[in-house]
Amino acid sequence: MPDSRDDRPTTLLLIRHGETAWNAEGRIQGQLDVPLSPRGIWQAARLAERLAERQGDEPIDAVVASDLARAMLTAQPLAAALGRDVIAEPLLRERHFGRFQGHTLDEIAAQWAADFHRWRDRDPAWSIPDGESGAQFIARVFAGLARVVAAHPGGTVAVVAHGGTLDVAYRAARALAWDAPREHVMLNASINRVQARAGAPAALRLSILDWGDVAHLGSARDELAGA
């Protein structure tokens, strides 16, 4: 007899990784493996405390993270507080920003003006040189989230990932086009509660329950605002 949880949506606590030095500098990280800054380490500890305290109200069944260091380092204190291991999911990595990685917006605009404008046009079919297109990134993120939901039907999963990953999920939930102006924040170490139901073919139906919760921090950075 199937578990009744299979018929219930999965709750995803989508969490952007803690702050890094490159976040503070406005430098594109992409898939470069940048560790947390001291502030990011502090944020990860506060996040763990907050979610551990909520276990009685909303037990977390698993902790999943992008395998990049900044996500894993954010997830580890939470997993330790819950007595769990972090499940690494490479599909939830940030977008591969190709030649833009390691540079600020001003540097990109000065060195590769044409590519910078193509990127800012947000054409999902356009690939950043040596990197991913928006369409490739979206498909990868959805494959990763679908894998999480399939593994934990009806459960609650903390998913630590990246600003771009959260952007994909938010836009899907709100039916917001890839090139539409951003109306949402992606704050470091924020908690963003999303309900997910598996759909066919291999698609997810997402809905926002709560977004941009940083009560455990007081404030947090969104250096991508306007980007």
Side-chain angles (χ1 to χ4, degrees), residues 93-169:
R93 286 183 174 191
E94 180 60 276
R95 182 177 179 180
H96 196 307
F97 281 94
R99 67 167 51 157
F100 296 167
Q101 295 184 160
H103 297 278
T104 65
L105 295 183
D106 288 344
E107 290 169 351
I108 295 167
Q111 294 184 49
W112 304 290
D115 289 334
F116 178 76
H117 289 297
R118 291 294 304 277
W119 174 39
R120 295 301 289 266
D121 286 341
R122 295 185 66 89
D123 176 358
W126 181 74
S127 295
I128 299 170
D130 303 317
E132 286 181 297
S133 70
Q136 289 171 326
F137 176 51
I138 293 166
R140 173 167 62 76
V141 168
F142 262 83
L145 293 176
R147 184 180 291 180
V148 173
V149 172
H152 305 282
T156 297
V157 185
V159 180
V160 183
H162 306 271
T165 311
L166 270 61
D167 184 46
V168 169

Side-chain angles (χ1 to χ4, degrees), residues 6 31 40 49 57 66 68 84 90 92 96 105 112 121 141 145 151 158 188 196:
D6 292 352
Q31 295 192 6
E49 290 176 1
D57 300 322
S66 153
L68 294 176
R84 300 185 179 277
L92 298 177
H96 196 307
L105 295 183
W112 304 290
D121 286 341
V141 168
L145 293 176
N188 286 123

